[in-house]
């Protein structure tokens, strides 16, 4: 997946007009700033150990980071077999940047809008409305074994 700069000017993202935003894959040099970003917005329980975080990132199939200037303001990651199934594992946008289309753009780039893959996720933090707006539906067939 190639990185690129997006000059935001669509109607949906009017609040970000005139803001230069970059959406691109995460690189190893992003790991520490990304870990700090996630910790700052409430994910410290998942990212407190730098070595474990690096291992998690190295074993992730797809990543997208949203950068405004030099500041990370959004991130998404997924595991995917590239044929049939994908699991969206983490999506985060800085609170002050939510509602501006960044999360939607992260998911579009993460999934490549590929409708041949069934994407699943665990929606949390009262995010069901967001997922429904971008085409996801609740499922009665998913099972999970929660980590201890």
């Amino acid at each position: 997946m190639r990185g690129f700069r997006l000059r935001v000017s669509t109607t949906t993202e009017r609040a970000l007009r005139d803001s230069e935003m970059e959406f691109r894959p995460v690189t190893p040099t992003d790991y520490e700033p990304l870990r700090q970003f996630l910790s700052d917005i409430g994910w410290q329980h998942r990212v407190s150990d730098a070595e474990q975080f690096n291992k998690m990132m190295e074993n992730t199939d797809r990543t997208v980071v949203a950068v405004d200037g030099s500041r990370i303001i959004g991130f998404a990651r997924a595991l995917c077999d590239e044929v049939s199934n994908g699991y969206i594992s983490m999506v985060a946008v800085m609170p002050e940047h939510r509602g501006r289309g960044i999360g939607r753009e992260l998911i579009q780039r993460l999934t490549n809008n590929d409708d041949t893959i069934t994407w699943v996720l665990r929606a949390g933090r009262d995010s069901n409305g967001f997922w429904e707006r971008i085409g996801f539906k609740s499922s009665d067939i998913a099972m999970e074994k929660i980590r201890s």
Side-chain angles (χ1 to χ4, degrees):
M1 188 183 300
R2 289 184 31 200
F4 59 92
R5 289 209 174 277
L6 172 68
R7 187 76 178 170
V8 179
S9 62
T10 64
T11 307
T12 306
E13 298 162 328
R14 189 175 307 154
L16 285 177
R17 186 179 301 157
D18 301 328
S19 174
E20 194 166 299
M21 178 96 40
E22 180 182 17
F23 293 87
R24 60 173 173 75
V26 173
T27 65
T29 59
D30 294 318
Y31 289 0
E32 187 53 33
L34 179 58
R35 193 172 76 84
Q36 186 61 54
F37 159 77
L38 291 166
S39 183
D40 289 348
I41 64 168
W43 292 72
Q44 48 283 51
H45 64 288
R46 295 275 302 276
V47 302
S48 60
D49 183 307
E51 187 176 315
Q52 289 289 353
F53 180 76
N54 292 351
K55 183 177 180 180
M56 179 180 75
M57 293 304 299
E58 291 299 325
N59 289 300
T60 298
D61 299 312
R62 295 183 182 193
T63 61
V64 181
V65 65
V67 181
D68 190 6
S70 62
R71 186 174 172 206
I72 294 174
I73 63 167
F75 167 70
R77 77 182 195 102
L79 306 175
C80 184
D81 62 19
E82 304 300 335
V83 176
S84 180
N85 296 300
Y87 170 66
I88 299 171
S89 174
M90 187 181 286
V91 178
V93 176
M94 291 188 87
E96 62 268 27
H97 291 280
R98 293 179 188 157
R100 298 179 175 181
I102 296 167
R104 176 184 301 268
E105 190 69 26
L106 287 168
I107 297 305
Q108 287 175 344
R109 298 199 184 286
L110 190 69
T111 64
N112 293 325
N113 286 325
D114 187 343
D115 61 3
T116 64
I117 293 177
T118 297
W119 290 96
V120 296
L121 59 98
R122 291 178 62 211
R125 301 187 183 193
D126 301 320
S127 64
N128 286 2
F130 166 76
W131 294 106
E132 290 167 356
R133 284 190 301 280
I134 63 172
F136 284 77
K137 295 179 173 80
S138 292
S139 171
D140 293 330
I141 61 171
M143 302 294 289
E144 67 181 347
K145 182 178 179 184
I146 299 174
R147 67 180 162 269
S148 54

